[in-house]
Structure formats: structure tokens, C-alpha cells
Amino acid sequence: GIQVEQSPPDLILQEGANSTLRCNFSDSVNNLQWFHQNPWGQLINLFYIPSGTKQNGRLSATTVATERYSLLYISSSQTTDSGVYFCAAPSGTYKYIFGTGTRLKVLA
Amino acid sequence: DTGVSQDPRHKITKRGQNVTFRCDPISEHNRLYWYRQTLGQGPEFLTYFQNEAQLEKSRLLSDRFSAERPKGSFSTLEIQRTEQGDSAMYLCASKRGEETQYFGPGTRLLVL
């Protein structure tokens, strides 16, 4: 099945800094999702992005399906951005595989 | 749109007991997923329903685990004869068609 790897595993930023999170996947996919898991454990969907670029406020994502990677950009980070960021890709017809996540801590 | 709800939010049980979790998806969503998440890991796929049909089940899921979605609305996940290794967060997600998944708050299980 598909392998999903995320980097970096951990990231510490000062408030206001920008960051780029990466998701590599081992096989071609027809969709790719980004999620943020807050400190209380709730997974919040950020982007559904099979290809191209999408923006939502300070966050944007780009998926280059032909090169099997996706990037999540966080600009002007805030302490509320802290948590774990996951990407997920389909494996087979129904199953989704999640990466191991990037743990982000934004310091005030 | 009231979001995905899960009940209970926390469950502590003794080894060997049976537990059942409930998931209520977003009302118009016909697709429902169960995942398990342990500390420091990403969610791990357990099973998938499209309407009332269970179309995929992880090979990692032992015979002690069973899931149902009897009328294509809410779903239940039962674990029989719980073991300490079953301690985890159990997450439910739903979606409509090819859109993104929406997750519930999870049920945190601790097996003593």
C-alpha cells in the first residue's frame, strides 16, 4: 500500500514566523487531505487538495501530484496554530493512510 | 450541520470487559470511517461504511472488533474481551461523496 511520510517531525516557531510542512507519498493519488489536530485531540480538516494550490487565510497548500508531494504553508504563525498537522492519502478504493504528523509549537 | 458526534467521550474499563462506542455522522453523509489513534501516531484506518454496507475492514482488526451501521445513519464499534493494547483514541469520520472527511471528537479508551 501507499506510504505517507511527513517532515519535519517537530517544529518550534516564534509567533509571527512562517513555516512549510511537507508530505511525500509513494504512489499516485487522486486526492490529498491536510488536517490539524488541536491539543484537545480534535482533528480539523484544513484542505482537500488533489492538485494545485488552495489558500485559506494564513494557510495555503500545494499538491504536485506528478511528483508525489504536498506542502502546507503557515504564514504569520500564532500560538493557536500549535498542534499536530497530518496529511492523508487514499490507499486502494476506500482506505486512507495518514502520515505520522508534524508537531508544531508556536511560542509567544 | 451539527458535526460528527461520538459517545462516550471517555471510557475506562477493566481487561476482559466489552465496550461499545457510538458515532453519529453529519446527516447527509453516506460514508463513514472508524480509525484508531495511539499516542504519537497518526490515525490508523479500521473500517469503512458506505450507507449500511461495510465495504472495507483493516487486516489489523482482530475478531474481537465489530462495527455496524444498521440503517446507514449512526454506527457502533464494539470491542469484546478488551486488552490493555486496545487503549487508544477511537475516531469516527464521515463524508459525502469525494469530499473531505469530517472527524468527531473521539472516544478515549483506557483498559486497566
Side-chain angles (χ1 to χ4, degrees), chain A residues 57-91:
Chain A
R58 297 181 295 105
L59 273 58
S60 65
T62 295
T63 295
V64 184
T66 54
E67 297 187 22
R68 301 179 184 175
Y69 73 88
S70 183
L71 302 175
L72 179 70
Y73 305 97
I74 304 174
S75 64
S76 305
S77 57
Q78 300 176 357
T79 56
T80 52
D81 294 331
S82 296
V84 186
Y85 290 81
F86 291 103
C87 61
S91 177

Side-chain angles (χ1 to χ4, degrees), chain A residues 7 9 14 19 32 40-41 44 50 57-58 60 62 70 80 86 88-89 102 107:
Chain A
S7 61
Q14 204 65 41
S19 62
L32 191 287
W40 296 271
I44 300 161
R58 297 181 295 105
S60 65
T62 295
S70 183
T80 52
F86 291 103
T102 292
L107 304 176

Side-chain angles (χ1 to χ4, degrees), chain A residues 30-31 33 35 37 40-43 45 47-48 86 88 91-101 103, chain B residues 9 33 35 37 40-43 45 48 50 55-56 58 89 91 95 98-105 108:
Chain A
N30 59 9
N31 73 76
Q33 299 170 45
F35 296 90
Q37 189 164 40
W40 296 271
Q42 176 72 55
L43 274 158
N45 53 298
F47 293 102
Y48 175 88
F86 291 103
S91 177
T93 308
Y94 306 117
K95 184 176 176 177
Y96 278 86
I97 300 298
F98 280 71
T100 50
R103 286 151 192 78
Chain B
R9 296 290 306 277
Y33 299 81
Y35 293 88
Q37 187 178 25
Q41 302 297 315
F45 172 84
Y48 164 76
Q50 188 161 314
L55 297 184
E56 186 155 357
S58 170
M89 173 81 93
L91 294 161
K95 70 173 186 170
E98 294 304 319
E99 299 174 355
T100 190
Q101 302 172 70
Y102 291 85
F103 278 84
R108 199 175 293 273

